[in-house]
Amino acid sequence: DHGQWETILTELIKRNGGGDLSIYLQVTRGPAARDHAFPEDSAPTVFVMCSPIKPVPENLAAEGVAAITLDDIRWRHCNIKAITLLPNILLRQNAVDAGAVEAILIRDGRVTEGAASNVFAVLDGVVVTPAAAADLLPGITRDLVLELASKHAIACREGLITEDDIHRADEVWLTSSTKEI
């Protein structure tokens, strides 16, 4: 219940010194016999950890980071937050091996998201991010950027971004809860 979650998370934060922390929470269906059907009586496994959020180096705001585009090889339900991250890991490693920090994923000629981030492009003065759909995980920071842009009358919308758009964009933003913009 809510009280138990508060106790667990408060203790975790206390044991890790407080401050600016990222909390990662994972709940699975729990241990069961190997069978791909849902078990009838299984106690969930709860895993919680936290890590310090490191400030983004100041030079990144001025210099930016490198990204590459790769084919989106992930499954068709990317909007589900799941622990099946092997394709994301392989795609991001391809980016790192190429000297980049992120892979911008392309499916059928359109941008979906990054291997570990959401993507925005500034196109003709409008901030655009792919619309929430089954092929991307709408992130908290993504939603906050949309909310703040709207609140401050910055032209923004959810919509199609093509691979060509990424290359002609005035700016490309990568967002995530632990890396900000």
Side-chain angles (χ1 to χ4, degrees), residues 106-130:
I106 310 294
R107 185 175 291 181
D108 300 324
R110 59 186 175 74
V111 172
T112 53
E113 61 185 337
S117 63
N118 289 114
V119 177
F120 290 79
V122 179
L123 301 167
D124 302 319
V126 179
V127 179
V128 183
T129 191

Side-chain angles (χ1 to χ4, degrees), residues 5 8-9 12 16 23-27 46-50:
W5 282 118
I8 290 168
L9 297 176
L12 181 68
N16 285 276
I23 296 176
Y24 178 81
L25 170 64
Q26 179 177 297
V27 180
V46 177
F47 172 78
V48 185
M49 68 176 219
C50 68

Side-chain angles (χ1 to χ4, degrees), residues 50-93:
C50 68
S51 306
I53 295 179
K54 297 174 183 152
V56 176
E58 289 184 26
N59 65 319
L60 292 186
E63 298 170 21
V65 297
I68 62 173
T69 57
L70 292 173
D71 286 336
D72 189 344
I73 60 169
R74 302 166 308 147
W75 73 318
R76 296 175 67 167
H77 298 286
C78 297
N79 58 321
I80 298 172
K81 182 86 170 180
I83 60 174
T84 52
L85 294 175
L86 180 59
N88 298 70
I89 291 165
L90 295 174
L91 290 161
R92 183 148 187 291
Q93 188 60 50

